PDB file of all heavy atoms in Angstrom:
ATOM      1  N   ILE L 411      -3.561  25.511 -25.311  1.00 96.00           N
ATOM      2  CA  ILE L 411      -2.411  24.664 -25.003  1.00 96.00           C
ATOM      3  C   ILE L 411      -1.206  25.542 -24.736  1.00 96.00           C
ATOM      4  O   ILE L 411      -0.912  26.450 -25.509  1.00 96.00           O
ATOM      5  CB  ILE L 411      -2.077  23.707 -26.171  1.00 96.00           C
ATOM      6  CG1 ILE L 411      -3.283  22.814 -26.472  1.00 96.00           C
ATOM      7  CG2 ILE L 411      -0.851  22.857 -25.846  1.00 96.00           C
ATOM      8  CD1 ILE L 411      -3.032  21.755 -27.528  1.00 96.00           C
ATOM      9  N   LEU L 412      -0.567  25.278 -23.619  1.00 96.00           N
ATOM     10  CA  LEU L 412       0.709  25.942 -23.358  1.00 96.00           C
ATOM     11  C   LEU L 412       1.773  24.849 -23.274  1.00 96.00           C
ATOM     12  O   LEU L 412       1.753  24.027 -22.362  1.00 96.00           O
ATOM     13  CB  LEU L 412       0.666  26.737 -22.051  1.00 96.00           C
ATOM     14  CG  LEU L 412       1.984  27.394 -21.625  1.00 96.00           C
ATOM     15  CD1 LEU L 412       2.424  28.443 -22.651  1.00 96.00           C
ATOM     16  CD2 LEU L 412       1.849  28.034 -20.249  1.00 96.00           C
ATOM     17  N   ALA L 413       2.630  24.827 -24.268  1.00 96.00           N
ATOM     18  CA  ALA L 413       3.701  23.832 -24.287  1.00 96.00           C
ATOM     19  C   ALA L 413       5.026  24.538 -24.057  1.00 96.00           C
ATOM     20  O   ALA L 413       5.427  25.382 -24.842  1.00 96.00           O
ATOM     21  CB  ALA L 413       3.702  23.089 -25.609  1.00 96.00           C
ATOM     22  N   ARG L 414       5.667  24.229 -22.945  1.00 96.00           N
ATOM     23  CA  ARG L 414       6.975  24.827 -22.635  1.00 96.00           C
ATOM     24  C   ARG L 414       7.837  23.738 -21.966  1.00 96.00           C
ATOM     25  O   ARG L 414       7.294  22.880 -21.262  1.00 96.00           O
ATOM     26  CB  ARG L 414       6.834  25.960 -21.636  1.00 96.00           C
ATOM     27  CG  ARG L 414       6.130  27.204 -22.148  1.00 96.00           C
ATOM     28  CD  ARG L 414       7.024  28.039 -23.084  1.00 96.00           C
ATOM     29  NE  ARG L 414       6.345  29.264 -23.484  1.00 96.00           N
ATOM     30  CZ  ARG L 414       5.425  29.334 -24.446  1.00 96.00           C
ATOM     31  NH1 ARG L 414       5.063  28.234 -25.092  1.00 96.00           N
ATOM     32  NH2 ARG L 414       4.854  30.482 -24.752  1.00 96.00           N
ATOM     33  N   PRO L 415       9.118  23.806 -22.127  1.00 96.00           N
ATOM     34  CA  PRO L 415       9.982  22.884 -21.359  1.00 96.00           C
ATOM     35  C   PRO L 415      10.104  23.371 -19.919  1.00 96.00           C
ATOM     36  O   PRO L 415      11.118  23.951 -19.550  1.00 96.00           O
ATOM     37  CB  PRO L 415      11.297  22.957 -22.127  1.00 96.00           C
ATOM     38  CG  PRO L 415      11.296  24.301 -22.780  1.00 96.00           C
ATOM     39  CD  PRO L 415       9.882  24.710 -23.009  1.00 96.00           C
ATOM     40  N   PHE L 416       9.070  23.138 -19.138  1.00 96.00           N
ATOM     41  CA  PHE L 416       9.022  23.709 -17.790  1.00 96.00           C
ATOM     42  C   PHE L 416      10.202  23.256 -16.928  1.00 96.00           C
ATOM     43  O   PHE L 416      10.691  23.981 -16.084  1.00 96.00           O
ATOM     44  CB  PHE L 416       7.696  23.338 -17.115  1.00 96.00           C
ATOM     45  CG  PHE L 416       6.503  24.006 -17.726  1.00 96.00           C
ATOM     46  CD1 PHE L 416       5.671  23.332 -18.624  1.00 96.00           C
ATOM     47  CD2 PHE L 416       6.185  25.314 -17.410  1.00 96.00           C
ATOM     48  CE1 PHE L 416       4.578  23.939 -19.197  1.00 96.00           C
ATOM     49  CE2 PHE L 416       5.064  25.937 -17.967  1.00 96.00           C
ATOM     50  CZ  PHE L 416       4.266  25.247 -18.865  1.00 96.00           C
ATOM     51  N   THR L 417      10.613  22.023 -17.164  1.00 95.00           N
ATOM     52  CA  THR L 417      11.732  21.516 -16.392  1.00 95.00           C
ATOM     53  C   THR L 417      12.992  22.341 -16.661  1.00 95.00           C
ATOM     54  O   THR L 417      13.719  22.684 -15.726  1.00 95.00           O
ATOM     55  CB  THR L 417      11.992  20.031 -16.743  1.00 95.00           C
ATOM     56  OG1 THR L 417      10.736  19.334 -16.645  1.00 95.00           O
ATOM     57  CG2 THR L 417      12.970  19.398 -15.795  1.00 95.00           C
ATOM     58  N   HIS L 418      13.198  22.691 -17.933  1.00 95.00           N
ATOM     59  CA  HIS L 418      14.367  23.518 -18.259  1.00 95.00           C
ATOM     60  C   HIS L 418      14.243  24.911 -17.670  1.00 95.00           C
ATOM     61  O   HIS L 418      15.206  25.478 -17.178  1.00 95.00           O
ATOM     62  CB  HIS L 418      14.557  23.613 -19.776  1.00 95.00           C
ATOM     63  CG  HIS L 418      14.876  22.300 -20.390  1.00 95.00           C
ATOM     64  ND1 HIS L 418      14.943  22.088 -21.759  1.00 95.00           N
ATOM     65  CD2 HIS L 418      15.126  21.093 -19.826  1.00 95.00           C
ATOM     66  CE1 HIS L 418      15.222  20.825 -22.000  1.00 95.00           C
ATOM     67  NE2 HIS L 418      15.343  20.207 -20.844  1.00 95.00           N
ATOM     68  N   VAL L 419      13.012  25.420 -17.688  1.00 96.00           N
ATOM     69  CA  VAL L 419      12.780  26.729 -17.083  1.00 96.00           C
ATOM     70  C   VAL L 419      13.200  26.698 -15.615  1.00 96.00           C
ATOM     71  O   VAL L 419      13.868  27.599 -15.113  1.00 96.00           O
ATOM     72  CB  VAL L 419      11.302  27.145 -17.226  1.00 96.00           C
ATOM     73  CG1 VAL L 419      11.046  28.472 -16.500  1.00 96.00           C
ATOM     74  CG2 VAL L 419      10.917  27.258 -18.701  1.00 96.00           C
ATOM     75  N   ALA L 420      12.796  25.621 -14.963  1.00 96.00           N
ATOM     76  CA  ALA L 420      13.134  25.482 -13.541  1.00 96.00           C
ATOM     77  C   ALA L 420      14.643  25.310 -13.361  1.00 96.00           C
ATOM     78  O   ALA L 420      15.228  25.816 -12.391  1.00 96.00           O
ATOM     79  CB  ALA L 420      12.405  24.286 -12.940  1.00 96.00           C
ATOM     80  N   ASP L 421      15.265  24.600 -14.298  1.00 96.00           N
ATOM     81  CA  ASP L 421      16.725  24.454 -14.285  1.00 96.00           C
ATOM     82  C   ASP L 421      17.393  25.806 -14.229  1.00 96.00           C
ATOM     83  O   ASP L 421      18.306  26.052 -13.436  1.00 96.00           O
ATOM     84  CB  ASP L 421      17.193  23.736 -15.553  1.00 96.00           C
ATOM     85  CG  ASP L 421      17.473  22.267 -15.283  1.00 96.00           C
ATOM     86  OD1 ASP L 421      17.776  21.956 -14.102  1.00 96.00           O
ATOM     87  OD2 ASP L 421      17.394  21.468 -16.234  1.00 96.00           O
ATOM     88  N   GLU L 422      16.887  26.685 -15.078  1.00 95.00           N
ATOM     89  CA  GLU L 422      17.467  28.039 -15.118  1.00 95.00           C
ATOM     90  C   GLU L 422      17.253  28.754 -13.801  1.00 95.00           C
ATOM     91  O   GLU L 422      18.057  29.593 -13.395  1.00 95.00           O
ATOM     92  CB  GLU L 422      16.819  28.851 -16.251  1.00 95.00           C
ATOM     93  CG  GLU L 422      17.283  28.398 -17.639  1.00 95.00           C
ATOM     94  CD  GLU L 422      16.332  28.808 -18.753  1.00 95.00           C
ATOM     95  OE1 GLU L 422      15.497  29.714 -18.532  1.00 95.00           O
ATOM     96  OE2 GLU L 422      16.417  28.206 -19.838  1.00 95.00           O
ATOM     97  N   LEU L 423      16.166  28.422 -13.094  1.00 96.00           N
ATOM     98  CA  LEU L 423      15.901  29.065 -11.794  1.00 96.00           C
ATOM     99  C   LEU L 423      16.775  28.475 -10.702  1.00 96.00           C
ATOM    100  O   LEU L 423      16.852  29.028  -9.602  1.00 96.00           O
ATOM    101  CB  LEU L 423      14.436  28.911 -11.417  1.00 96.00           C
ATOM    102  CG  LEU L 423      13.432  29.657 -12.291  1.00 96.00           C
ATOM    103  CD1 LEU L 423      12.009  29.278 -11.909  1.00 96.00           C
ATOM    104  CD2 LEU L 423      13.606  31.173 -12.133  1.00 96.00           C
ATOM    105  N   GLY L 424      17.351  27.308 -10.956  1.00 94.00           N
ATOM    106  CA  GLY L 424      18.236  26.742  -9.944  1.00 94.00           C
ATOM    107  C   GLY L 424      18.100  25.235  -9.767  1.00 94.00           C
ATOM    108  O   GLY L 424      19.024  24.576  -9.328  1.00 94.00           O
ATOM    109  N   ASP L 425      16.930  24.668 -10.105  1.00 95.00           N
ATOM    110  CA  ASP L 425      16.770  23.223  -9.917  1.00 95.00           C
ATOM    111  C   ASP L 425      15.577  22.748 -10.751  1.00 95.00           C
ATOM    112  O   ASP L 425      14.459  23.209 -10.547  1.00 95.00           O
ATOM    113  CB  ASP L 425      16.529  22.889  -8.440  1.00 95.00           C
ATOM    114  CG  ASP L 425      16.709  21.398  -8.172  1.00 95.00           C
ATOM    115  OD1 ASP L 425      16.316  20.569  -9.024  1.00 95.00           O
ATOM    116  OD2 ASP L 425      17.269  21.057  -7.116  1.00 95.00           O
ATOM    117  N   GLY L 426      15.884  21.845 -11.647  1.00 94.00           N
ATOM    118  CA  GLY L 426      14.867  21.323 -12.559  1.00 94.00           C
ATOM    119  C   GLY L 426      13.687  20.684 -11.834  1.00 94.00           C
ATOM    120  O   GLY L 426      12.595  20.591 -12.376  1.00 94.00           O
ATOM    121  N   ARG L 427      13.914  20.274 -10.594  1.00 94.00           N
ATOM    122  CA  ARG L 427      12.853  19.590  -9.872  1.00 94.00           C
ATOM    123  C   ARG L 427      11.716  20.556  -9.506  1.00 94.00           C
ATOM    124  O   ARG L 427      10.663  20.112  -9.073  1.00 94.00           O
ATOM    125  CB  ARG L 427      13.408  18.910  -8.626  1.00 94.00           C
ATOM    126  CG  ARG L 427      14.147  17.613  -8.934  1.00 94.00           C
ATOM    127  CD  ARG L 427      14.790  17.036  -7.705  1.00 94.00           C
ATOM    128  NE  ARG L 427      15.898  17.887  -7.224  1.00 94.00           N
ATOM    129  CZ  ARG L 427      16.527  17.699  -6.073  1.00 94.00           C
ATOM    130  NH1 ARG L 427      16.170  16.743  -5.272  1.00 94.00           N
ATOM    131  NH2 ARG L 427      17.527  18.491  -5.722  1.00 94.00           N
ATOM    132  N   ALA L 428      11.974  21.847  -9.635  1.00 96.00           N
ATOM    133  CA  ALA L 428      10.911  22.816  -9.351  1.00 96.00           C
ATOM    134  C   ALA L 428      10.015  23.022 -10.573  1.00 96.00           C
ATOM    135  O   ALA L 428       9.142  23.896 -10.570  1.00 96.00           O
ATOM    136  CB  ALA L 428      11.499  24.139  -8.884  1.00 96.00           C
ATOM    137  N   GLY L 429      10.208  22.215 -11.629  1.00 96.00           N
ATOM    138  CA  GLY L 429       9.383  22.325 -12.830  1.00 96.00           C
ATOM    139  C   GLY L 429       7.900  22.209 -12.509  1.00 96.00           C
ATOM    140  O   GLY L 429       7.065  22.883 -13.125  1.00 96.00           O
ATOM    141  N   ASN L 430       7.576  21.347 -11.537  1.00 96.00           N
ATOM    142  CA  ASN L 430       6.159  21.195 -11.185  1.00 96.00           C
ATOM    143  C   ASN L 430       5.559  22.509 -10.682  1.00 96.00           C
ATOM    144  O   ASN L 430       4.404  22.837 -10.965  1.00 96.00           O
ATOM    145  CB  ASN L 430       5.971  20.064 -10.173  1.00 96.00           C
ATOM    146  CG  ASN L 430       6.729  20.311  -8.862  1.00 96.00           C
ATOM    147  OD1 ASN L 430       7.628  21.152  -8.804  1.00 96.00           O
ATOM    148  ND2 ASN L 430       6.372  19.574  -7.814  1.00 96.00           N
ATOM    149  N   MET L 431       6.377  23.312  -9.990  1.00 97.00           N
ATOM    150  CA  MET L 431       5.853  24.561  -9.447  1.00 97.00           C
ATOM    151  C   MET L 431       5.740  25.643 -10.536  1.00 97.00           C
ATOM    152  O   MET L 431       4.883  26.507 -10.461  1.00 97.00           O
ATOM    153  CB  MET L 431       6.737  25.075  -8.299  1.00 97.00           C
ATOM    154  CG  MET L 431       6.646  24.199  -7.067  1.00 97.00           C
ATOM    155  SD  MET L 431       4.947  24.135  -6.396  1.00 97.00           S
ATOM    156  CE  MET L 431       4.841  22.409  -5.956  1.00 97.00           C
ATOM    157  N   VAL L 432       6.617  25.554 -11.555  1.00 97.00           N
ATOM    158  CA  VAL L 432       6.489  26.471 -12.687  1.00 97.00           C
ATOM    159  C   VAL L 432       5.132  26.198 -13.357  1.00 97.00           C
ATOM    160  O   VAL L 432       4.359  27.124 -13.635  1.00 97.00           O
ATOM    161  CB  VAL L 432       7.642  26.285 -13.692  1.00 97.00           C
ATOM    162  CG1 VAL L 432       7.480  27.276 -14.846  1.00 97.00           C
ATOM    163  CG2 VAL L 432       9.007  26.476 -13.012  1.00 97.00           C
TER     164      VAL L 432
END
Side-chain angles (χ1 to χ4, degrees):
Chain L
I411 301 185
L412 176 63
R414 292 284 184 280
F416 291 100
T417 309
H418 295 173
V419 176
D421 259 335
E422 287 159 17
L423 292 173
D425 195 322
R427 283 175 292 172
N430 60 344
M431 290 300 139
V432 181

